[in-house]
Amino acid sequence: MSLPASVSSWLLVLLCAVSGAYCLGRVRRSGGAAAREAGPEALMGFGMAVMAVPGGFGEGWRAPVLGAVFCGAALHAGWLLRGGIHHAHHLVGSLSMVYMAFMPGSGHGAGRHGAGLPLVTGALLLYYAGYVVLGGSRLVTAGAAGAPGTPYPLAGDVQDGQGGQDGHDGGPAEVIRACRLAMGTGMLAMLLAM
C-alpha cells in the first residue's frame, strides 16, 4: 500500500473512531431517546474504524465478527422500525457494513480491486452520496438559521424534539449533525475504495 493510501486509510480510521467516541459520550451523558439514538451511531463509528484499518489487520476474524455484530445491529434497527421510519438509516448502515465485511477485497489493506456486486455497491454509493449532500446542506442551513444561544431545530434527528445547545440530546445540534455527516462520508469513502 502506498504512503498516500495508507495515510488516507488511517485518517478514515481516526475520523470514524472519534465519531464513535463522541457518540459513546452522548450515550453516557444523555438518557432516554437520545441515548438510544446515539448507541447505534457509536457502534457504527467504531465498526467503521475497525473495518478501515489498513494492512490486513484482523484478516481472519474481522469479517465474521463485524458481520455478526452488524447483523445484530440490523435486526435491532429493523425492530425499531416499528416505531417509525427514522431508524431506516441505521438499518441501511448496518446492512451496508455486513455487505462490506463479507465482500472479498473490501478491506483497505487487501490490495484487490473490483470487489462487491456492482448494482448493490452503486445503489449504496448513491444512497450515501445523497445522505452526505443532504446532511451537509442541513448542517449549513441549521448553523445559519439559528441565533446564538438558541436551540437549532433538528428536523427528525432527535425523537423527543429537544435538540439544541442546551444538552438535552447529549450535545450541540451542529456537533451531532457533523458527527453523522462524518460517518456518512466515511461510509461513502469505504464504498468508493471497494
Side-chain angles (χ1 to χ4, degrees):
M1 177 177 275
S2 68
L3 181 62
S6 179
V7 169
S8 65
S9 292
W10 282 111
L11 287 174
L12 182 59
V13 169
L14 180 66
L15 174 74
C16 295
V18 167
S19 295
Y22 180 76
C23 292
L24 193 60
R26 282 179 44 220
V27 170
R28 208 174 127 250
R29 287 189 307 270
S30 60
R36 285 189 300 273
E37 187 76 18
E41 292 171 355
L43 176 68
M44 183 65 70
F46 288 127
M48 288 171 58
V50 169
M51 189 176 283
V53 172
F57 167 76
E59 238 8 85
W61 59 265
R62 183 167 52 181
V65 169
L66 286 175
V69 167
F70 284 104
C71 279
L75 289 173
H76 182 256
W79 177 259
L80 292 177
L81 278 175
R82 301 173 301 118
I85 194 73
H86 53 272
H87 288 285
H89 176 71
H90 292 269
L91 180 63
V92 171
S94 296
L95 292 174
S96 299
M97 290 294 286
V98 171
Y99 171 71
M100 287 191 296
F102 288 114
M103 286 297 106
S106 62
H108 284 269
R112 292 169 279 200
H113 300 288
L117 304 171
L119 185 61
V120 175
T121 304
L124 290 173
L125 281 169
L126 285 174
Y127 174 80
Y128 280 103
Y131 181 82
V132 167
V133 169
L134 181 63
S137 65
R138 283 182 170 178
L139 184 63
V140 169
T141 57
T150 320
Y152 298 111
L154 283 177
D157 284 344
V158 177
Q159 295 174 6
D160 58 4
Q162 294 181 352
Q165 292 182 334
D166 55 3
H168 284 111
D169 60 355
E174 298 88 2
V175 178
I176 294 169
R177 284 187 175 180
C179 180
R180 290 175 180 160
L181 182 62
M183 286 193 291
T185 304
M187 187 69 81
L188 184 62
M190 287 173 32
L191 284 164
L192 284 171
M194 288 182 67

